[in-house]
Amino acid sequence: MLVPALADDSAAIFLPERFPLRWASAWGEDEWGLWMTLELAEAQQRFRWIAPGRFRMGSPENEPERDGDEVQHEVTLSEGYWLADTACTQALWQAVTGENPSRFKDNPSHPVEQVSWDDVQGFLGELNRRLPGLEARLPSEAEWEYACRAGTTTPFSFGENITPEQVNYNGNYPYAGGAKGVYREKTVPVGSLPANPWGLYEMHGNVWEWCADWYGDYPTTPQVDPRGAAWGDARVLRGGSWGSDGRGVRSADRSGSGPGRHGGGSGFRLALGPGKPAEPAQENSAAEPPN
């Protein structure tokens, strides 16, 4: 896995301190790097090691159909982290909570959706209780975009444009003059579409993914390990969903919603490691969930 170099370019800083971790049921290394698998009941989740690095977060001013909240700025992530290679499945959610709130229950391998940020905090608490040392959490917004871009600087990790064969979005509304395509009108099983250059699936589309941060304006100066706004009334959602247009599934696209709201396309992706604990949620009905 190629990553941008840090100032202290030593091979050791790109590797996890311990590998594998005690909860891992399987582990290894492939063309995308180190991986570990978590098993709980009949559910599995693979995690990939994301090495530290530096990237340009947000979008350049000449990117078609960009939004004003995507001010481009340099971000350095000084520590690596483990990130799930897919969104959390209905199978894993049900193994932890005993419930399945999803609309599209075609198969347990579909991503869980219609979960609020607050719901996810409860899920994380129970998962960490069952597996001491796991330290499951939501990624920061910077960690999410760094992994989504996977070393690319284009609107999508796949390049300048996308097709529904790569991304599950509303193909009736393509990006920047692209060709129209199929609109599935529902989620697809996780891992069923092509992975990005770092082996992560469906970072674009399928379900919106909650991040730990409060939604707020980006800074304009370089940042090291940013954790978003100090407070707010909406938590960050990234990636777009099955119902989004092409513009809404770009690497830089941002949205937010009240932490207690159950958006129809809202899911999440697990990160592992200490990170920074999220502040308690503050419900505010003014923040509407995205489509």
Side-chain angles (χ1 to χ4, degrees):
M1 178 175 72
L2 298 176
V3 298
L6 292 171
D8 179 17
D9 192 2
S10 168
I13 66 174
F14 294 134
L15 299 174
E17 291 183 4
R18 292 178 295 148
F19 177 78
L21 298 178
R22 63 183 181 180
W23 49 262
S25 61
W27 55 87
E29 185 174 10
D30 57 20
E31 68 270 28
W32 291 313
L34 299 178
W35 59 268
M36 297 188 295
T37 297
L38 173 154
E39 287 190 8
L40 187 63
E42 300 298 319
Q44 294 187 353
Q45 178 65 70
R46 177 166 289 190
F47 292 88
R48 292 200 170 274
W49 175 248
I50 308 299
R54 182 179 298 119
F55 76 112
R56 297 284 289 174
M57 188 172 182
S59 62
E61 292 185 359
N62 63 351
E63 182 166 302
E65 302 182 28
R66 73 188 293 268
D67 287 315
D69 62 353
E70 300 170 12
V71 176
Q72 198 169 48
H73 57 291
E74 182 179 277
V75 168
T76 298
L77 297 178
S78 65
E79 297 184 6
Y81 55 101
W82 293 95
L83 188 67
D85 71 344
T86 70
C88 178
T89 62
Q90 295 173 28
L92 183 56
W93 182 273
Q94 195 156 9
V96 173
T97 68
E99 301 174 348
N100 185 357
S102 305
R103 173 184 175 189
F104 303 111
K105 299 179 181 178
D106 301 27
N107 188 294
S109 65
H110 281 243
V112 70
E113 14 94 12
Q114 299 193 136
V115 292
S116 71
W117 190 92
D118 290 346
D119 292 339
V120 176
Q121 301 312 301
F123 171 92
L124 293 172
E126 177 61 17
L127 181 61
N128 287 327
R129 185 191 70 79
R130 294 197 194 184
L131 297 170
L134 183 65
E135 296 184 312
R137 60 180 175 87
L138 288 173
S140 69
E141 186 175 17
E143 289 173 335
W144 190 96
E145 186 171 326
Y146 177 63
C148 177
R149 288 190 175 281
T152 67
T153 59
T154 47
F156 308 93
S157 63
F158 299 111
E160 296 290 343
N161 217 319
I162 51 169
T163 69
E165 287 67 45
Q166 296 168 309
V167 176
N168 184 22
Y169 68 106
N170 187 341
N172 293 317
Y173 300 97
Y175 174 67
K180 289 187 176 182
V182 66
Y183 176 29
R184 297 179 178 90
E185 302 186 56
K186 63 178 183 179
T187 60
V188 298
V190 302
S192 62
L193 296 174
N196 79 1
W198 288 358
L200 305 171
Y201 296 91
E202 290 96 38
M203 294 293 288
H204 305 287
N206 214 25
V207 289
W208 287 96
E209 297 184 9
W210 288 108
C211 294
D213 308 37
W214 290 112
Y215 177 88
D217 292 339
Y218 278 161
T220 57
T221 56
Q223 302 291 303
V224 177
D225 301 326
R227 295 289 162 176
W231 61 275
D233 57 13
R235 294 287 182 176
V236 171
L237 284 159
R238 297 299 300 264
S241 78
W242 57 270
S244 299
D245 57 16
R247 169 178 173 269
V249 298
R250 291 173 302 116
S251 298
D253 188 76
R254 310 176 68 209
S255 189
S257 184
R261 290 188 168 269
H262 300 80
S266 299
F268 68 102
R269 182 180 303 255
L270 290 167
L272 304 179
K276 178 182 176 183
E279 297 83 356
Q282 298 177 9
E283 175 68 23
N284 188 314
S285 59
E288 296 294 335
N291 292 322

